[in-house]
Amino acid sequence: MRKQLLCLLAASGLCAAGATAGAAMQSQTEERASQIDYDGFTALTNELGAYRQSRLLQKDDFFRRAALPGALLLDTRSAAAFEAGHIEGAVNLPFSDFTEESLREVIGPNPNRPIFIYCNNNFADDAAPVVAKKAPLALNIPTFINLYGYGYENIWELDGVMLTAEVAWVGDLPQEAMTGLPPALSN
């Protein structure tokens, strides 16, 4: 009888330990899962549709406003693409490097600072360093959503398509910008 009681106590101890470990694993899984919130992202995306539309600026207005004191012209392409060429006066923070800290370092302490964004798809050159993306995947879209999600709501986006030769460009111009022809036809 004593052996049975000891076995029963040992088994209940193992069950309790297993339940505790199981609860801890579930808590860790839930904690990790909460770091990825697809439903939250899609809700934010849907919420921002009309707001983003109201923040699109044509080229002349965009560049006029981006040149005002305190404005930030933000290029979120890769560091390599930025180095190869960018709009004069732009500051680079690659989209993949967005964190609360990195955004605060680049944007500064004022969350209401006007931020002006552009991406590859604003340029018709479709050659390095502004190779076009599929339209629904243009970098402006997730950049706008993420900036807003991090608390920066004074975002303005370049609307329309132009050649890099039509703006103050720093770096090498794509072949098409120099000739007005696609790269295959300019040779």
Side-chain angles (χ1 to χ4, degrees):
M1 174 83 160
R2 188 166 190 227
K3 276 186 174 179
Q4 289 174 334
L5 184 58
L6 286 173
C7 285
L8 184 59
L9 286 172
S12 66
L14 286 174
C15 285
T20 301
M25 287 176 60
Q26 181 179 357
S27 175
Q28 287 176 347
T29 301
E30 288 172 0
E31 187 177 304
R32 275 185 257 142
S34 69
Q35 293 183 68
I36 301 169
D37 184 3
Y38 181 79
D39 292 338
F41 180 79
T42 56
L44 181 59
T45 300
N46 291 331
E47 175 188 322
L48 288 178
Y51 181 70
R52 179 181 164 267
Q53 193 66 33
S54 74
R55 308 298 278 193
L56 296 172
L57 297 173
Q58 293 301 311
K59 181 177 76 171
D60 293 340
D61 198 22
F62 179 89
F63 287 111
R64 182 184 58 75
R65 290 182 185 202
L68 293 173
L72 173 67
L73 181 56
L74 184 63
D75 184 320
T76 63
R77 299 174 304 137
S78 70
F82 181 81
E83 182 67 28
H86 58 272
I87 295 174
E88 185 177 350
V91 173
N92 182 235
L93 177 60
F95 177 76
S96 61
D97 293 341
F98 275 24
T99 63
E100 287 184 33
E101 184 179 332
S102 66
L103 287 164
R104 194 172 29 258
E105 285 175 13
V106 171
I107 297 169
N110 179 3
N112 295 315
R113 182 179 188 185
I115 304 167
F116 295 83
I117 62 173
Y118 69 95
C119 77
N120 292 356
N121 285 30
N122 289 119
F123 300 99
D125 307 274
D126 195 17
V130 288
V131 178
K133 311 281 188 214
K134 287 184 175 183
L137 305 175
L139 190 56
N140 280 357
I141 298 167
T143 296
F144 194 100
I145 294 165
N146 276 260
L147 285 169
Y148 191 94
Y150 276 107
Y152 300 95
E153 298 179 15
N154 197 3
I155 313 157
W156 299 93
E157 182 179 332
L158 179 58
D159 193 20
V161 179
M162 63 215 68
L163 292 171
T164 53
E166 297 176 38
V167 301
W169 192 257
V170 175
D172 293 333
L173 290 174
Q175 184 68 26
E176 184 175 335
M178 293 183 284
T179 64
L181 298 172
L185 299 176
S186 62
N187 293 330

